[in-house]
Amino acid sequence: MSQPAKPPSIIDLYPEETREAAELLKQAVPLMMRHDIPPNPVHYALWYTYSRGSEPELNRRLDKVVEDFDAFPLETASRLFRDYIIRGELEEARAGQQQVIELVDDIEGDVSRSVIGGQYYQQSLSQGLSALQEPIVDDLPSVLSDLQESTQLMQDQQEKFLYRLRAAQQEITHLRSQLERAHLAATLDSLTRVFNRHAFTRLLERALNESQQGLALVILDIDYFKQFNDQYGHPLGDRVLQHVGQLLRDLLPPEAFAARYGGEEFCVVLRNCANLNGVLDFAEQLRHKIQSLRVKVRRTDQILDSITASFGCAMAEEGDTFESLLTRADDALYQAKRAGRNQVHPITSETMLSA
């Protein structure tokens, strides 16, 4: 079965570097403000594309909408987003669905032919056995020839079916790989290769619903990251984030998971923690690893050794929600920053009272 051409992904459609994307941002947001359009992700994607000018038909339709309506209709935004922003993703999903349908149809046809062939073979065999039971078989060579021909036909059909079954297994493996890549793209942060914010929210809520016992949250924030980006540029800042993501993946204990929660903010959820001390030990280990990072500025060969991070830690308590646990860990992070940064702080009753 031939593979359909893969449509470009959303990331492929937006190749702009940081500065170019920032310029488009400066154009898109005022456009939304001018027409009193909430700058949510769907609207922003539409007006960002509008500012690029890469979809003239989308621009025409957006101009028409803001001309005809006092408020930007939500259903119109959803339809335009589907038609012009994520159409490649939808096409890929439809292509995968069509592959599965064709694959099932092919297998069904092969099974039907195999069943019919089996019935025909069984009929020929019955007729041959009946003929052989006659006292005198005048046409024995003919009976044997028919049996041989039926046997050969059955064998050929079985070989074809086996061939198609093996091809189907390869197709299934390919489709499973596509599904896994799509799943990873939907849950992982593309830069750091840890979970994204949406996946983190869902996973932490699920963990809290299962059991709060032994569950802990660590929030870390890279110190003075904005100044770092301003001084050395966003590409170098991205490299730092990639290094931190790698450290998290390397140091995570079993059943733990990490996510990029914001620009330079990461979260780690730990399980089976006996007490807060073990959580603090993990955070301290990670803090030392980040402090040991050395990043080279390629244009000057300068080695940077001043990368640090602040940490806030909190153990889950009975009745905790996503928001309550996150708030306590964030309060601890604030205490670490207020105390001078590059520190690990737990959230305790004393720190909550002094906050």
Side-chain angles (χ1 to χ4, degrees):
M1 185 186 303
S2 61
Q3 302 296 329
K6 184 178 179 181
S9 69
I10 293 178
I11 297 300
D12 295 332
L13 297 177
Y14 297 100
E16 292 82 13
E17 297 294 336
T18 302
R19 291 183 180 177
E20 187 177 357
E23 288 300 320
L24 290 171
L25 169 66
K26 293 177 182 177
Q27 298 175 42
V29 172
L31 284 170
M32 287 186 284
M33 295 296 100
R34 182 187 310 162
H35 300 293
D36 197 25
I37 298 171
N40 59 44
V42 170
H43 290 149
Y44 175 67
L46 289 172
W47 290 96
Y48 180 97
T49 307
Y50 181 97
S51 301
R52 292 174 78 225
S54 56
E55 295 283 353
E57 180 60 21
L58 172 62
N59 287 24
R60 187 191 66 78
R61 294 182 64 178
L62 286 172
D63 288 337
K64 188 75 167 61
V65 171
V66 297
E67 178 182 344
D68 293 345
F69 295 91
D70 294 332
F72 200 78
L74 180 59
E75 62 276 11
T76 300
S78 299
R79 185 170 60 255
L80 293 176
F81 182 79
R82 184 174 58 251
D83 292 345
Y84 290 94
I85 307 302
I86 62 171
R87 60 187 176 192
E89 305 296 319
L90 295 176
E91 288 170 5
E92 184 173 1
R94 292 191 190 102
Q97 183 184 47
Q98 185 60 35
Q99 282 182 268
V100 173
I101 293 172
E102 293 175 359
L103 180 61
V104 172
D105 287 345
D106 287 347
I107 293 177
E108 182 184 16
D110 288 331
V111 170
S112 298
R113 285 188 290 273
S114 181
V115 169
I116 293 172
Q119 293 172 343
Y120 175 74
Y121 177 70
Q122 184 179 15
Q123 181 181 3
S124 298
L125 187 62
S126 297
Q127 292 174 350
L129 290 174
S130 298
L132 290 173
Q133 289 173 358
E134 296 293 331
I136 299 175
V137 183
D138 296 330
D139 58 345
L140 179 60
S142 176
V143 171
L144 294 176
S145 176
D146 288 344
L147 288 175
Q148 183 180 17
E149 182 179 344
S150 298
T151 302
Q152 185 62 48
L153 179 62
M154 184 66 178
Q155 183 178 351
D156 291 344
Q157 288 179 335
Q158 293 294 339
E159 288 178 353
K160 289 179 181 178
F161 178 67
L162 183 60
Y163 174 80
R164 281 295 305 137
L165 190 60
R166 287 171 177 167
Q169 288 175 331
Q170 294 177 352
E171 289 289 339
I172 290 170
T173 301
H174 174 72
L175 291 171
R176 184 184 293 118
S177 177
Q178 282 186 325
L179 183 61
E180 289 174 352
R181 287 196 299 271
H183 177 72
L184 285 176
T187 59
L188 292 186
D189 175 65
S190 59
L191 180 66
T192 61
R193 309 307 294 168
V194 296
F195 286 117
N196 57 32
R197 181 170 181 160
H198 176 75
F200 164 74
T201 301
R202 177 170 48 82
L203 290 171
L204 180 53
E205 287 177 342
R206 181 189 301 171
L208 286 167
N209 288 333
E210 291 172 354
S211 174
Q212 292 85 28
Q213 186 68 33
L215 194 69
L217 175 61
V218 177
I219 300 182
L220 70 97
D221 189 272
I222 301 175
D223 296 326
Y224 305 110
F225 192 69
K226 183 179 184 304
Q227 293 91 319
F228 184 93
N229 273 340
D230 291 342
Q231 183 174 357
Y232 299 106
H234 289 276
L236 194 61
D238 287 348
R239 283 169 53 198
V240 171
L241 294 174
Q242 288 173 328
H243 283 305
V244 172
Q246 183 64 54
L247 285 176
L248 287 170
R249 298 197 303 275
D250 291 343
L251 295 177
L252 280 180
E255 298 187 20
F257 60 88
R260 184 183 178 191
Y261 194 70
E264 67 273 17
E265 192 172 71
F266 294 82
C267 292
V268 179
V269 174
L270 302 172
R271 301 174 187 265
N272 304 320
C273 303
N275 50 52
L276 189 57
N277 289 333
V279 181
L280 298 178
D281 289 343
F282 168 80
E284 276 291 347
Q285 181 187 15
L286 186 55
R287 185 185 69 82
H288 282 292
K289 290 287 187 181
I290 293 175
Q291 191 175 18
S292 300
L293 284 177
R294 300 293 181 266
V295 181
K296 184 177 182 179
V297 183
R298 290 170 179 163
R299 65 175 181 272
T300 64
D301 288 338
Q302 178 185 2
I303 303 297
L304 304 179
D305 58 358
S306 58
I307 300 165
T308 61
S310 302
F311 293 76
C313 306
M315 291 286 296
E317 300 173 357
E318 186 175 354
D320 254 332
T321 63
F322 174 86
E323 291 79 11
S324 62
L325 179 58
L326 188 69
T327 297
R328 291 207 311 280
D330 197 53
D331 288 342
L333 175 62
Y334 173 75
Q335 294 291 335
K337 290 183 178 181
R338 195 169 73 169
R341 302 180 190 259
N342 192 24
Q343 299 183 28
V344 173
H345 268 246
I347 192 69
T348 64
S349 56
E350 291 76 11
T351 56
M352 291 181 70
L353 288 173
S354 62

